[in-house]
Amino acid sequence: MALLELQDVEARYGQVRALHGVSLAVDEGQIVAVLGANGAGKTTTLRAISGTVRRTGEISLAGKRLGRHGPEAVAKLGVAHVPEGRGTFAELSVDENLRLGGYTRRGSLDADVERMSGYFPWLGERGDQHAGTLSGGEQQMLALARALMSRPKLLLLDEPSLGLAPLVTREIFRIVRELNEEDGLTVLVVEQNAAIALEVAARAYVLEVGKVAVSGTSEELARDESVRKSYLGY
């Protein structure tokens, strides 16, 4: 069953149209990747879902149309968005960043902070450290953990490997896959490293100039000669 569905979604930045009718679906409990070159509309697709860009077309979450819902309303429906560039609050501590992730929930967040420390052990040891002093990889992990504090139905993950060493990138994707397998977390991930994205995703969509050019299972796309040459480098 599809948790997320997009039908003919268009989005603009002023007079510039960035999406030209994108349609895709993400089943509950699935990891789906969105691939494509810079400027293809990958980040805009996530922004359209989270309500941070003006869009038209139909977007549904668990059968409920998002319509004109803005970012806060979309977040309250269970969508957590980790934007490109991490977006941690540099002047706040690690612990304060984490707790901000649970702002849509009521009651104590202590159990969830402890749970995040299970996935990212260093979080519990460095809760008082300012987020701005963390390494790039640590900031990306903190941004991911903060998003998970809301216990989302759907995680939108934008370019998690950007600027990170390959070993750190693999660790982040390992954790995402673990969350998917153990907790059933549904993930829509935008990623330029197509090879690693196809390793963890069940399905993928390739965007070109704001449209879906190719879609299919990860296995199908990994065998597709045009996808291999353009995005996998072989």
Side-chain angles (χ1 to χ4, degrees):
M1 176 183 174
L3 175 67
L4 174 74
E5 289 185 279
L6 276 66
Q7 287 290 331
D8 297 321
V9 172
E10 298 187 359
R12 292 177 179 272
Y13 296 101
Q15 297 301 311
V16 178
R17 190 163 60 158
L19 298 183
H20 301 262
V22 169
S23 297
L24 60 80
V26 182
D27 287 347
E28 189 169 0
Q30 195 175 51
I31 299 177
V32 172
V34 179
L35 312 175
N38 286 335
K42 305 185 304 295
T43 289
T44 304
T45 298
L46 297 193
R47 289 177 176 169
I49 296 164
S50 63
T52 54
V53 66
R54 293 183 65 180
R55 78 279 204 209
T56 60
E58 187 174 310
I59 302 176
S60 299
L61 181 71
K64 179 181 177 63
R65 293 185 181 182
L66 298 187
R68 295 181 178 273
H69 282 46
E72 186 173 359
V74 173
K76 287 181 177 178
L77 289 173
V79 177
H81 187 171
V82 181
E84 179 183 345
R86 297 147 203 157
T88 52
F89 296 95
E91 297 304 316
L92 299 182
S93 70
V94 167
D95 186 70
E96 288 168 336
N97 268 273
L98 276 178
R99 291 176 185 277
L100 276 175
Y103 81 98
T104 59
R105 296 173 47 208
R106 294 180 179 178
S108 174
L109 298 174
D110 292 348
D112 289 276
V113 171
E114 185 69 26
R115 178 169 163 266
M116 288 304 103
S117 296
Y119 288 109
F120 310 92
W122 60 271
L123 287 175
E125 303 161 6
R126 298 161 70 181
D128 293 332
Q129 184 173 340
H130 281 179
T133 64
L134 300 174
S135 69
E138 289 167 343
Q139 288 189 41
Q140 183 65 70
M141 292 181 190
L142 175 58
L144 175 57
R146 186 183 65 196
L148 295 170
M149 286 288 292
S150 67
R151 295 191 181 180
K153 296 177 184 175
L154 172 68
L155 177 69
L156 306 177
L157 194 53
D158 194 358
E159 298 283 13
S161 73
L162 188 67
L164 302 184
L167 282 176
V168 178
T169 296
R170 289 207 164 270
E171 177 63 9
I172 288 172
F173 274 96
R174 183 194 67 77
I175 293 169
V176 169
R177 176 150 48 187
E178 186 177 336
L179 287 159
N180 170 257
E181 292 175 349
E182 294 186 359
D183 297 350
L185 179 66
T186 306
V187 183
L188 181 61
V189 56
V190 158
E191 180 53 60
Q192 276 216 285
N193 186 334
I196 194 169
L198 290 176
E199 282 180 21
V200 301
R203 292 185 58 80
Y205 293 81
V206 179
L207 298 190
E208 287 184 355
V209 200
K211 295 181 179 180
V212 175
V214 186
S215 66
T217 67
S218 293
E219 291 83 0
E220 289 168 345
L221 293 189
R223 291 195 303 265
D224 186 298
E225 185 176 357
S226 64
V227 173
R228 290 204 319 269
K229 288 182 176 179
S230 299
Y231 303 107
L232 301 180
Y234 63 87

